[in-house]
Amino acid sequence: MIARPAPAASGKPRLTTSAMIASIAGEGQRTKPAPFGHALVEAARARPGIVGMTADLGKYTDLHIFAKEFPDRFYQMGMAEQNLFGAASGLAAEGFTAFATTYAVFATRRAYDFIHQTIAEENRDVKIVVALPGLTSGYGPSHQAAEDLALMRAMPNMTVIDPCDAHEIEQIVPAIADHKGPVYMRLLRGQVPLVLDEYGYSFELGKAKLLRDGADALFITSGLMTMRAHEVAERLKADRIDAAILHVPTIKPLDEAAIVAAAAKTGRPVFVMENHTVIGGLGEAVASTLLRNRVQPAGWHHIGLPDAFLDAGALPTLHDRYGISVEAVTARVKAALG
């Protein structure tokens, strides 16, 4: 729910507590409800081996839609994330494709060893789908998974995906259902914005896509920051700045060829944008790729969350504070380009 502004002494709207869990959709932006839940139902109709599992968070990961449609294929494991992933591994060992949902912090911190030992090492067909990735919750460090991609990138056998919008999530679900092996997928839930359909985009596992080209700057992005990059690029047109956007939904395996090809184009700086700490995520993966391939762009800028425990508060305020709002990113790009 988006907070209803209350008057403040400064004259600016004062955000209420509900803004801590507000939708990331901008005012007037097109959205689609619960794309993951609906896509999983459609995938399960054609794939009888799919089961849905959660640790008391069905409603908050949109898995309740699957549970209503397939109650005999849904498992509510309670507040026990380690049991959730151990059981998911067991079902996968018996030939099922388990979609297990929770919050990103609970998967990557509380149950990391269980995922590592029972799912990744055994290369089990478990899809770990996590809500509240990066800075999409205002409830402070206990619920802000700022470092999840770094943790999951380091795990052997794990495919790691950071979707941008509802259009992409709908395409990712059947793709990972058909992919054999463990997957870690960040989730945007509830009323999820629509952006990529404007580009005629189609998701391919392991592939980056150039959404738009431009001579003045290259944005390499994933997740909701692709959405932000789109808005930033539109705003920059007023200053006659033409920005390209390379969307990288699959963080691992990384599409190094597409990144090298886009960054090797002379005369434009690279801006990597991610909803993740600057340690160990997309930015460092891209930097390593360019270094190993001896590609030196006209400039290098990394926009991400700081190496710090983040504050609690209203999401719009936090996104401004940590530099990932449209306004903050626009200002940084313009300053870098002079």
Side-chain angles (χ1 to χ4, degrees):
M1 178 174 102
I2 297 178
R4 183 180 298 277
S10 64
K12 295 181 180 180
R14 184 173 58 203
L15 295 171
T16 59
T17 305
S18 59
M20 298 171 80
I21 53 172
S23 169
I24 60 169
E27 186 176 351
Q29 189 170 22
R30 294 177 303 124
T31 62
K32 202 164 188 179
F36 167 69
H38 292 296
L40 187 59
V41 165
E42 291 304 313
R45 288 197 176 113
R47 300 165 181 83
I50 287 179
V51 295
M53 311 176 71
T54 191
D56 205 35
L57 287 171
K59 179 180 178 181
Y60 300 102
T61 57
D62 292 339
L63 195 63
H64 64 293
I65 295 168
F66 176 90
K68 183 178 180 180
E69 188 72 21
F70 299 106
D72 58 333
R73 293 158 66 179
F74 171 72
Y75 298 88
Q76 172 57 268
M77 305 302 293
M79 293 184 184
E81 290 80 11
Q82 295 170 342
N83 286 343
L84 166 68
F85 293 114
S89 175
L91 283 167
E94 295 302 313
F96 293 95
T97 299
F99 278 75
T101 73
T102 185
Y103 286 161
V105 289
F106 300 151
T108 57
R109 298 180 198 162
R110 188 170 300 166
Y112 190 85
D113 188 52
F114 282 70
I115 293 171
H116 187 283
Q117 295 300 111
T118 69
I119 295 174
E121 185 177 1
E122 301 298 326
N123 203 31
R124 296 273 165 81
D125 198 20
V126 177
K127 318 308 175 186
I128 302 162
V129 182
V130 296
L132 302 187
L135 186 52
T136 53
S137 166
Y139 286 108
S142 66
H143 283 66
Q144 293 163 343
E147 66 289 298
D148 64 324
L149 298 181
L151 289 164
M152 301 312 285
R153 276 185 66 222
M155 190 178 292
N157 287 337
M158 187 65 68
T159 295
V160 180
I161 304 175
D162 188 14
C164 167
D165 71 345
H167 180 73
E168 185 164 45
I169 289 170
E170 290 175 333
Q171 297 181 41
I172 289 173
V173 170
I176 64 175
D178 292 337
H179 170 79
K180 296 304 178 185
V183 174
Y184 179 85
M185 171 186 158
R186 282 177 151 194
L187 176 64
L188 302 175
R189 60 158 300 274
Q191 293 292 334
V192 180
L194 281 163
V195 176
L196 295 180
D197 58 329
E198 297 179 23
Y199 294 99
Y201 172 86
S202 61
F203 172 81
E204 292 182 70
L205 189 63
K207 295 295 183 182
K209 296 291 182 72
L210 188 68
L211 301 181
R212 61 197 292 169
D213 209 352
D216 299 317
L218 170 64
F219 300 160
I220 301 178
T221 63
S222 69
L224 73 85
M225 292 310 292
T226 295
M227 195 185 311
R228 297 278 161 89
H230 165 78
E231 295 181 69
V232 170
E234 288 296 309
R235 292 189 181 195
L236 291 174
K237 284 182 178 179
D239 295 292
R240 298 183 181 180
I241 297 172
D242 191 16
I245 301 175
L246 181 69
H247 174 50
V248 187
T250 310
I251 308 300
K252 179 187 176 184
L254 193 67
D255 190 352
E256 295 192 355
I259 290 168
V260 167
K265 189 172 181 179
T266 59
R268 63 185 186 185
V270 168
F271 295 80
V272 179
M273 306 176 188
E274 58 181 324
N275 174 33
H276 186 269
T277 171
V278 293
I279 306 295
L282 177 64
E284 290 194 347
V286 170
S288 173
T289 296
L290 298 185
L291 181 63
R292 284 184 284 102
N293 287 276
R294 299 184 179 183
V295 175
Q296 185 173 354
W300 168 264
H301 307 274
H302 188 182
I303 298 173
L305 302 173
D307 178 24
F309 293 108
L310 308 180
D311 294 335
L315 276 179
T317 302
L318 296 178
H319 285 192
D320 278 334
R321 179 173 300 170
Y322 294 117
I324 64 170
S325 67
V326 173
E327 292 75 16
V329 173
T330 302
R332 182 159 175 187
V333 171
K334 290 170 75 171
L337 296 176

